[in-house]
Amino acid sequence: MRMELTTTQLKEVEIKHGSMTIMFTNRSFSKQTVIEPFNEINQYWETLPEETQAKIFDLYSEYCLLNLDMVGGVQGLSAIKSIVDRLNEYHQWAQIDEFRKTLKLGIPESVSKPDLRIYSQKTTYDQDSYEELQTLSLSLRPYFPLVAGASDICKTMFSVDLRDSQTYGVIRDTDGGKSEAVVRLRHYMESLPKFAKAKVPAGALIRGLGTEPRKEQLMHRVMLKKVLVSSLSSDDNMLSNIYKFADNVIKSEDRGDGKILDKKQKSSDSDDEKSVADLYKLPLRVNDGISVAINESMKNEELVLRALPEKIPVTLFRKFKSNLEKVMSRSSFVIHPYHPRLCSFFLGDLRWGCCPPRGFENLELDPMINAMAATQAMLWQWEYKELAVLMSAIVDDNIEVGMFGVGVSKGRTSQQLIDALHNLYPNSKTKPSVKARQMSEGITTIDEIAKLLASKNWKTKLPESLKDQVPEYLTTIPDLRANLGQILLKLDEAYAKRDEIGE
């Protein structure tokens, strides 16, 4: 059995077994060039019994028959993840590592003798750790056609800030994805000055991406573009390629977008050095280890519903969940940054929930659907139905009845509401004044969400039994900012009541 490119680029891959050949095409890697990237995995397959090779080929055939143009969406990603999990059974880390040793690949000369007087062992690659990186790359190689397909799906479902991390999710639980080699690579990336000090582009900030999730996103992009398929030859330094790639990504975003200030850790609680993104986010990093636990917890419907500020009918939650799964199966649905932001309002209270506010940006699809359905049901129960429908609405640029953004732009927040929000979310960055109150965390959060919503036209997608209660097209919500502000105040009251009764 062999996997081969049909061109010099990664856009077309053939897998052959006996007299049978299947071909995979993709758009996500169509411009990437790697010389003979599948030589080593082909050699590994040759060591396997014919029966095992046939089973592996059958899994690729199953993927080929999926017809992602028809399936797509959540169902497509779920099907791909299932095939990846079964492929993983034939590509265990121990076996791949033992085979890699027989290849005698060698390592770049610059890696063989690291200067530990300058760099720590934790952040430097020596011969053993570089060979571990080679094993990581080789262990992920069989999944390339499936990852490419998942990436094509995610491009239609997620905004640019989320799609790489969602794509990476299909291989996160493989032996390679869970290996210490991934942990070491993260330590290495974090030791690079350019990576550690990377600014969040202003555009990504407006779309809701924080500093640490931005670093996770860059890490996942490196895994997809420079580890998943990379030359293992000692003549081609993987670490150098990773550094150049990350450096180019950061530079291109710095050139093409604005910057924000780094967040500088201080011993005091002053907000003076906080970035705009951090004004409404807890300073809690969500790394891969924590993310796995969060995702597992958020798959539990009971835990998700318990995190809400008030009880809702389980039937209402499941009605919205079923509808979301149906809507997400369509290629026109996209998860926007405002989705995890709104979810964090209702489910991010650490006293009752199982997901910190920043964790919603890292949720995989199944737990994200639970979060979105619970948030939608809570908004619906509180009679904020226009906001509720936005959890399942789709962008429709063909709407002619008006612009949703017009209503958002004209919406104003009353001075009374501004004062209330300032008391709840004080801002010590400025002296007490009208301007300080307007810059409070609550107002900042409201304005950011309003900006995210204002640039799109929305077509509502609700369960059949509820769709008559709102217009088919959302063309205006004049009180959007006021509604969001009222929700923040109501949430504070609801959680305070829960604290009192202890349930």
Side-chain angles (χ1 to χ4, degrees):
M1 190 174 77
R2 296 186 62 79
M3 185 185 301
E4 297 174 343
L5 295 177
T6 61
T7 68
T8 57
Q9 296 174 320
L10 293 172
K11 63 181 179 180
E12 286 186 355
V13 176
E14 282 185 344
I15 298 182
K16 301 177 180 179
H17 180 59
S19 60
M20 295 179 289
T21 300
I22 50 180
M23 179 180 290
F24 305 98
T25 61
N26 73 89
R27 297 181 297 276
S28 298
F29 293 82
S30 61
K31 296 181 180 180
Q32 190 170 336
T33 301
V34 180
I35 299 175
E36 298 182 338
F38 306 114
N39 275 356
E40 292 83 9
I41 196 61
N42 288 335
Q43 294 177 51
Y44 173 74
W45 285 335
E46 288 174 1
T47 68
L48 301 178
E50 179 64 28
E51 181 182 355
T52 302
Q53 293 184 44
K55 290 179 180 178
I56 294 173
F57 186 81
D58 286 345
L59 289 173
Y60 287 117
S61 299
E62 179 182 338
Y63 169 61
C64 186
L65 293 173
L66 277 179
N67 191 354
L68 296 179
D69 289 334
M70 294 296 293
V71 180
V74 177
Q75 286 84 353
L77 288 177
S78 178
I80 290 174
K81 181 68 163 55
S82 172
I83 296 173
V84 167
D85 290 344
R86 284 175 282 157
L87 270 177
N88 184 59
E89 297 175 12
Y90 304 108
H91 302 91
Q92 297 291 296
W93 179 271
Q95 285 72 34
I96 296 288
D97 190 47
E98 283 300 314
F99 174 76
R100 189 267 310 157
K101 294 175 183 177
T102 68
L103 295 175
K104 302 187 184 304
L105 296 170
I107 62 174
E109 185 176 350
S110 59
V111 176
S112 60
K113 296 180 179 180
D115 191 342
L116 297 181
R117 295 171 302 173
I118 302 175
Y119 303 105
S120 70
Q121 184 71 43
K122 185 178 180 180
T123 58
T124 304
Y125 276 81
D126 56 15
Q127 179 170 339
D128 290 342
S129 54
Y130 190 87
E131 288 175 346
E132 191 178 56
L133 182 63
Q134 290 174 321
T135 300
L136 172 62
S137 182
L138 181 56
S139 73
L140 297 178
R141 204 63 51 97
Y143 310 117
F144 171 75
L146 293 92
V147 171
S151 181
D152 285 350
I153 291 176
C154 288
K155 279 188 173 182
T156 68
M157 289 185 66
F158 300 99
S159 62
V160 64
D161 304 312
L162 302 176
R163 62 182 57 144
D164 286 327
S165 293
Q166 292 296 333
T167 300
Y168 180 71
V170 303
I171 56 173
R172 186 194 305 273
D173 295 329
T174 62
D175 265 29
K178 295 187 294 186
S179 68
E180 286 298 315
V182 175
V183 177
R184 176 173 282 277
L185 180 59
R186 178 174 285 102
H187 288 322
Y188 169 75
M189 293 281 289
E190 290 174 345
S191 74
L192 301 176
K194 274 288 184 72
F195 182 83
K197 298 179 181 180
K199 310 292 191 299
V200 180
L205 173 64
I206 293 300
R207 292 189 295 271
L209 198 71
T211 304
E212 294 301 338
R214 172 69 188 98
K215 292 180 180 179
E216 288 295 307
Q217 179 210 48
L218 184 56
M219 174 67 185
H220 295 153
R221 187 175 296 184
V222 165
M223 288 291 294
L224 295 175
K225 297 295 185 180
K226 291 300 172 184
V227 179
L228 175 67
V229 181
S230 181
S231 172
L232 301 180
S233 168
S234 60
D235 296 329
D236 198 357
N237 191 325
M238 288 178 65
L239 289 175
S240 177
N241 292 337
I242 288 170
Y243 174 83
K244 291 176 183 177
F245 176 78
D247 187 53
N248 287 336
V249 170
I250 293 169
K251 282 181 178 177
S252 65
E253 291 182 342
D254 283 350
R255 287 194 301 266
D257 216 329
K259 302 177 183 179
I260 62 171
L261 292 174
D262 281 329
K263 178 182 177 182
K264 299 178 181 179
Q265 296 294 338
K266 285 191 167 186
S267 57
S268 69
D269 293 328
S270 171
D271 288 342
D272 291 350
E273 299 296 338
K274 282 188 177 180
S275 67
V276 175
D278 288 321
L279 288 176
Y280 48 81
K281 291 178 182 288
L282 292 179
L284 173 66
R285 175 176 180 173
V286 182
N287 59 33
D288 272 353
I290 298 174
S291 181
V292 170
I294 290 173
N295 275 288
E296 287 303 311
S297 297
M298 291 297 291
K299 289 177 183 178
N300 186 318
E301 292 182 0
E302 184 179 347
L303 291 178
V304 172
L305 295 180
R306 193 180 71 176
L308 290 171
E310 292 180 3
K311 291 183 179 180
I312 61 169
V314 176
T315 53
L316 182 63
F317 163 75
R318 289 183 177 157
K319 184 178 294 186
F320 281 123
K321 179 177 179 178
S322 176
N323 180 67
L324 274 166
E325 290 172 339
K326 180 180 178 181
V327 174
M328 284 187 178
S329 67
R330 302 169 184 173
S331 60
S332 56
F333 184 84
V334 173
I335 293 181
H336 295 275
Y338 75 81
H339 285 117
R341 186 78 58 75
L342 284 175
C343 290
S344 72
F345 278 18
F346 290 93
L347 299 166
D349 191 291
L350 293 179
R351 293 167 294 180
W352 304 102
C354 51
C355 183
R358 301 185 91 165
F360 291 90
E361 297 174 345
N362 299 302
L363 288 182
E364 296 171 1
L365 276 171
D366 288 343
M368 187 64 193
I369 290 173
N370 278 346
M372 291 171 65
T375 299
Q376 191 171 31
M378 193 73 259
L379 284 166
W380 192 268
Q381 181 165 295
W382 277 3
E383 294 294 327
Y384 294 104
K385 293 183 178 179
E386 291 87 354
L387 281 170
V389 299
L390 285 170
M391 299 306 291
S392 56
I394 62 172
V395 175
D396 191 338
D397 293 326
N398 296 318
I399 295 177
E400 297 179 356
V401 293
M403 285 290 290
F404 178 51
V406 172
V408 174
S409 300
K410 291 181 179 178
R412 292 291 182 265
T413 309
S414 70
Q415 191 60 52
Q416 183 180 3
L417 185 57
I418 289 175
D419 291 340
L421 288 170
H422 175 65
N423 291 332
L424 186 59
Y425 301 97
N427 183 355
S428 61
K429 187 173 182 179
T430 56
K431 295 179 180 179
S433 64
V434 172
K435 182 178 180 182
R437 289 193 293 273
Q438 290 173 340
M439 291 176 64
S440 74
E441 297 178 22
I443 295 298
T444 301
T445 304
I446 290 170
D447 286 342
E448 293 301 336
I449 293 179
K451 289 175 184 178
L452 290 171
L453 297 174
S455 61
K456 306 292 183 182
N457 301 321
W458 304 95
K459 184 175 182 179
T460 61
K461 295 288 183 180
L462 284 173
E464 286 293 324
S465 61
L466 302 176
K467 68 179 185 179
D468 293 337
Q469 299 187 39
V470 293
E472 182 180 4
Y473 295 98
L474 274 181
T475 57
T476 181
I477 303 182
D479 299 323
L480 174 63
R481 286 185 171 86
N483 287 343
L484 288 169
Q486 291 163 7
I487 287 170
L488 288 175
L489 296 177
K490 191 168 183 176
L491 282 166
D492 185 62
E493 293 175 0
Y495 282 118
K497 186 176 179 180
R498 285 191 69 174
D499 286 339
E500 286 180 11
I501 62 178
E503 63 176 37

